[in-house]
Amino acid sequence: MDQIKLTQFSHGGGCGCKIAPAVLSKLLAHAPAGIVPPELLVGTETADDAAVYQLNERQAIVATTDFFTPIVDDPYDFGRIAATNALSDVYAMGGRPIMALAVVGMPLDKLPPEVIGRILEGGAAVCRDAGIPIAGGHSIDVLEPIYGLVGLGVVDPAQVKKNAGAQAGDVLILTKPLGIGILSAGLKKGLLADADYAEMLRWTTLLNRVGARLAGMGGVHAVTDVTGFGLAGHLLEICRGSKLGATVNFDALPKIAAAEKLVRDGIATGASTRNWASYGDDVAMAADAPEWQRKLITDPQTSGGLLIACAESGVDAVLAAIREEQGSEGHVIGRMVAGAAVLRVE
């Protein structure tokens, strides 16, 4: 079991295997319009992280699914990362998870049962940490290992945090450092030291549980999680939903030190290039900005942090909540500004 490397089965690991934003837009453009009942508070219109369906005046269901191919070789770690990433969508809407369903696809002729079992154990461990059961799921025999969850949560309908809620002048706060996709590329090339792998696990298995607390904070206007489309891509989703622009101070971005070193040396994922091709026309950077900076802001984050737009008066409270709920620091990285839905990196 120890000799099997899960990433050898993956053409693209973690959130780096997401369909590129531009391609996804074309696919969705051909999807037929469906039923949109008034109780559906959040659907596909604003590229939000999960659907929200109102049950009554005080309760709404948050529903999402997220799954991917291995980003690491260790099966238990893969299960933990995938489960943490899936539950993040519930937290990003301001929801509190209540249960999950497992999504499992495994090449049964290539992986022994004990390896698959360890993947499931990793996912179950994260759900226990979140205080929820895995109440069922579905499994199939496929060519590449796939694991993730359907996440279900609850939220007060009046406290849902959508991409469309940001206001001009809002401060942008990021709860985790960037560089997970770069580390995954380094891992595949055998360039990641044990300490750097441990740092990767630290962030990818840290639940974004502060999202449920942010729901009740009046100064918080919009929240999303930063995953496969990179920081720039997910911030542009807030810009488009809120009909605003944004500015980001590159030097203020939290960066995993090992990832910064790797990307400066030219290590990055193919997904980063696809991301830039999808939305680079809406990102303004200095003409002399080095290539590695572009790679960092487009780096696909697997189980990345929350990106929060809040009133300046609420910044201290949000930063305190991040420390108390997650034991880590939030970082002020920029602002929402009036104007076209363009991201300026300064």
Side-chain angles (χ1 to χ4, degrees):
M1 181 173 70
D2 292 338
Q3 296 179 349
I4 291 178
K5 293 184 178 296
L6 290 181
T7 55
Q8 71 179 309
F9 302 108
S10 303
H11 73 283
C15 288
C17 64
K18 288 179 72 169
I19 294 175
V23 177
L24 181 60
S25 295
K26 291 180 181 178
L27 295 177
L28 293 177
H30 294 284
I35 298 171
V36 184
E39 294 86 358
L40 185 63
L41 304 182
V42 181
T44 61
E45 298 80 10
T46 52
D48 272 291
D49 300 291
V52 181
Y53 188 93
Q54 185 168 353
L55 299 176
N56 52 54
E57 291 184 358
R58 296 297 305 277
Q59 292 178 312
I61 289 289
V62 182
T64 184
T65 185
D66 209 316
F67 50 88
F68 47 61
T69 55
I71 187 175
V72 294
D73 291 319
D74 183 270
Y76 185 77
D77 291 343
F78 171 42
R80 292 169 65 207
I81 293 168
T84 306
N85 178 75
L87 294 180
S88 181
D89 287 341
V90 176
Y91 291 123
M93 301 305 298
R96 175 178 59 83
I98 56 173
M99 70 173 183
L101 307 174
V103 178
V104 183
M106 295 292 156
L108 298 180
D109 60 334
K110 298 181 179 70
L111 293 182
E114 58 267 28
V115 170
I116 299 172
R118 287 292 286 170
I119 296 171
L120 302 183
E121 288 174 19
V126 165
C127 288
R128 283 195 300 272
D129 186 30
I132 64 170
I134 296 181
H138 186 65
S139 59
I140 59 172
D141 185 3
V142 292
L143 298 178
E144 292 182 282
I146 296 170
Y147 179 70
L149 301 175
V150 173
L152 298 172
V154 292
V155 66
D156 185 324
Q159 297 180 349
V160 175
K161 302 303 179 186
K162 298 189 289 186
N163 286 340
Q167 299 179 15
D170 277 352
V171 174
L172 293 168
I173 297 172
L174 185 62
T175 67
K176 292 184 184 181
L178 302 175
I180 295 300
I182 296 161
L183 292 182
S184 72
L187 179 66
K188 279 193 170 185
K189 293 178 179 295
L191 301 175
L192 215 59
D194 289 347
D196 301 330
Y197 180 74
E199 184 76 354
M200 180 180 178
L201 284 185
R202 173 195 175 192
W203 295 112
T204 54
T205 60
L206 177 64
L207 287 164
N208 284 322
R209 61 176 84 241
V210 71
R213 181 164 167 183
L214 296 175
M217 301 175 68
V220 176
H221 299 138
V223 181
T224 192
D225 63 342
V226 179
T227 54
F229 299 156
L231 172 67
H234 291 287
L235 179 48
L236 281 170
E237 288 179 338
I238 291 181
C239 290
R240 293 165 186 150
S242 302
K243 297 179 173 58
L244 296 169
T247 61
V248 162
N249 179 354
F250 185 86
D251 290 338
L253 295 177
K255 312 166 189 73
I256 298 173
E260 182 174 347
K261 182 180 184 303
L262 285 169
V263 75
R264 283 176 177 268
D265 290 339
I267 304 299
T269 69
S272 175
T273 301
R274 294 192 298 272
N275 282 341
W276 182 260
S278 295
Y279 56 68
D281 288 345
D282 294 326
V283 180
M285 300 184 73
D288 60 349
E291 177 76 3
W292 72 267
Q293 293 187 1
R294 192 190 82 185
K295 294 291 187 183
L296 189 74
I297 65 169
T298 57
D299 185 48
Q301 302 305 287
T302 298
S303 193
L306 296 182
L307 178 61
I308 304 158
C310 73
E312 187 161 10
S313 60
V315 169
D316 289 344
V318 169
L319 294 177
I322 295 167
R323 284 192 295 270
E324 292 167 11
E325 295 292 335
Q326 300 183 180
S328 58
E329 296 295 322
H331 300 264
V332 173
I333 64 168
R335 284 185 181 272
M336 301 300 299
V337 297
V342 172
L343 169 60
R344 297 187 181 280
V345 182
E346 301 174 342

